[in-house]
Amino acid sequence: MPSRALLTSYRRLFAAPGAVAFTLTGLLGRLALSMNGVALVVLLSERRGSYGLAGAVSAAGLVTGAIGMPLIGRLVDRYGQARVTVPAALYNAVPLAGLLLCVRLGAPDWTLLLCSAACAAAPNLGGMARSRWAHLHRDDPAARHLANSFEQALDELCFMAGPVLAMVLCTALAPEAGLITAGALGTAGALLFAAQRRTEPPLPPPVSAISAGRRHGSPLRVPGLRVLVLTFLATGMVFGATEITTVAYADALGHKASAGLLLALVAAGSCLAGLLFGLLTPRRAPGPRFLLGATAMAAVLLLPLAAGLGGAGLGLLGVALFAAGTATAPTMVTGMTLVQELLPQRQFNEGMAMAVSGIVVGISAGAALAGTVAERAAPGTGYALPAVAAGIALLIALAGRRHLATPRTATTGGASDRASDGASDGASGEAGSAAADNSERIVSASL
């Protein structure tokens, strides 16, 4: 039975010592991240009476967070997860506490913007967890595929539970309760995650002076990563536009409270698809799999558009949204697999943080566009935005498909990188690692 296969496969995944500990502790931090947006909006709308201010403060944090996340990722790649995560988590708690204090004391609006913008050092625990899985199962591609699928399912689980938890805390206790809880969970989760030292990936061996010059270069020098970041940016627009449009549609039907359930159905579809996708044995290279995922995502997002334009009720719309969510996880899982295979180990965290930053920027842009459409067009029209964004993601992936090719020899997903990171000399040190060098030859030839 599928349920039995699911349990057996994921039980095998967690047989690795320490896997359960870093997964659970990292989950706390990721849950906090999914709570922040709703908690902040509710807090400022209640205490300051302005959704516009709430949106501006939230946007300030998203923009600086999208910039800061890759920088934190680069430091993690250079100094290790624990040495960076602990001070970053402690620092990030300070401006968050300052924001709460400014709201409480009635400080000017610009102080809220400043505090939110200063919260730019949140560690990317999801990316660091994927890096740990890649290290634990560096010689087992099937286990890495399973782990990436599980991580995507956890992301969706957090985005289902986080906003609901934040809303309950803000309405049942106090408007500040959601953000306070998110801050406590985020800080505690990051510190506990950093304490799991036995599963932390080791730093790459020292490299030659020539390679050291490239070591600090941006992962965006790899064309394949640029394709992925742009595709993820368009995918983020799908998420942001779907959220705002769904809230506006439910409100137009007089059932605004049902919007949370509808959005949970999107996440549930993606979560289930991610878990089942992990059970499949990949028979294609990651590049073609990514194209198939983007194609499926563009196709299924026509369902909510048809339901919205047709004036469907919430029940039919919920079915369409659940179906639309099922194509998201396979695309994201394969995209993160490509990040791991296109980059050497020494740039894993920075590369994955860039991918996540692309999603964050896309969510902001998609939400802003959808808000404008919701105010000026008929209910349901906004579902054209995620459909168009998914089409753009597919076009980007198709245009850059030759850059998504990974060398056949890189079947260990970075194992060859680790073996070669410490074996550079004057002639070969400029390459850094075998897998990354081969990949760059391919994309350079394509260019």
Side-chain angles (χ1 to χ4, degrees), residues 228 232 286 290 329-340 342 355:
L228 290 172
F232 284 154
F290 187 69
T331 307
M332 299 297 296
V333 169
T334 308
M336 288 301 178
T337 299
L338 277 167
V339 172
Q340 294 174 6
L342 288 170

Side-chain angles (χ1 to χ4, degrees), residues 254-267:
H255 298 283
K256 187 175 182 179
S258 300
L261 177 60
L262 291 173
L263 294 174
L265 287 173
V266 181

Side-chain angles (χ1 to χ4, degrees), residues 36-421:
N36 282 334
V38 171
L40 184 60
V41 169
V42 173
L43 171 63
L44 294 183
S45 64
E46 287 290 326
R47 296 305 189 199
R48 294 295 176 95
S50 172
Y51 280 102
L53 175 63
V57 173
S58 178
L62 287 173
V63 170
T64 57
I67 297 172
M69 194 177 294
L71 298 178
I72 295 295
R74 173 173 287 201
L75 293 175
V76 168
D77 286 326
R78 186 174 182 182
Y79 298 108
Q81 293 187 0
R83 291 181 63 187
V84 175
T85 300
V86 172
L90 293 176
Y91 159 79
N92 225 49
V94 175
L96 181 61
L99 190 150
L100 288 164
L101 188 61
C102 288
V103 172
R104 183 71 176 177
L105 297 177
D109 292 348
W110 65 264
T111 61
L112 307 181
L113 293 167
L114 183 62
C115 289
S116 181
C119 295
N124 180 20
L125 297 184
M128 286 191 278
R130 287 176 171 90
S131 180
R132 293 191 182 214
W133 287 119
H135 171 67
L136 287 175
H137 300 288
R138 54 193 175 278
D139 300 321
D140 189 349
R144 285 199 313 278
H145 170 72
L146 189 67
N148 283 335
S149 299
F150 180 74
E151 287 296 320
Q152 185 61 36
L154 286 185
D155 284 341
E156 300 298 344
L157 180 64
C158 287
F159 280 102
M160 278 193 294
V164 175
L165 177 58
M167 184 64 74
V168 169
L169 290 170
C170 290
T171 54
L173 298 179
E176 293 83 2
L179 205 57
I180 291 174
T181 303
L185 287 178
T187 304
L191 296 178
L192 291 172
F193 180 90
Q196 312 306 313
R197 300 300 296 269
R198 63 175 173 172
T199 52
E200 181 178 348
L203 292 175
V207 295
S208 69
I210 297 177
S211 291
R214 291 187 60 207
R215 177 177 182 172
H216 303 300
S218 172
L220 289 176
R221 294 174 60 182
V222 178
L225 183 63
R226 296 199 294 268
V227 174
L228 290 172
V229 170
L230 289 175
T231 306
F232 284 154
L233 191 150
T235 304
M237 292 182 67
V238 170
F239 300 152
T242 298
E243 180 176 351
I244 299 301
T245 301
T246 300
V247 172
Y249 190 84
D251 190 20
L253 294 183
H255 298 283
K256 187 175 182 179
S258 300
L261 177 60
L262 291 173
L263 294 174
L265 287 173
V266 181
S270 184
C271 181
L272 180 61
L275 292 174
L276 295 178
F277 185 65
L279 301 180
L280 301 178
T281 301
R283 301 191 182 278
R284 295 174 180 264
R289 293 206 313 270
F290 187 69
L291 289 175
L292 287 174
T295 302
M297 187 169 65
V300 296
L301 278 166
L302 295 175
L303 297 176
L305 175 59
L309 293 179
L314 296 183
L316 185 57
L317 178 62
V319 173
L321 290 172
F322 179 86
T326 58
T328 302
T331 307
M332 299 297 296
V333 169
T334 308
M336 288 301 178
T337 299
L338 277 167
V339 172
Q340 294 174 6
E341 294 199 2
L342 288 170
L343 298 177
Q345 182 204 9
R346 63 177 179 269
Q347 291 184 316
F348 268 17
N349 291 284
E350 185 178 2
M352 284 187 280
M354 286 180 171
V356 174
S357 293
I359 296 172
V360 170
V361 172
I363 290 174
S364 302
L369 288 173
T372 301
V373 171
E375 291 180 352
R376 301 181 180 182
T381 306
Y383 283 116
L385 289 175
V388 170
I392 293 174
L394 175 59
L395 291 176
I396 294 171
L398 286 171
R401 62 187 181 277
R402 64 186 183 276
H403 301 314
L404 301 179
T406 55
R408 292 180 181 271
T409 54
T411 55
T412 57
S416 59
D417 296 336
R418 299 180 184 89
S420 62
D421 270 338

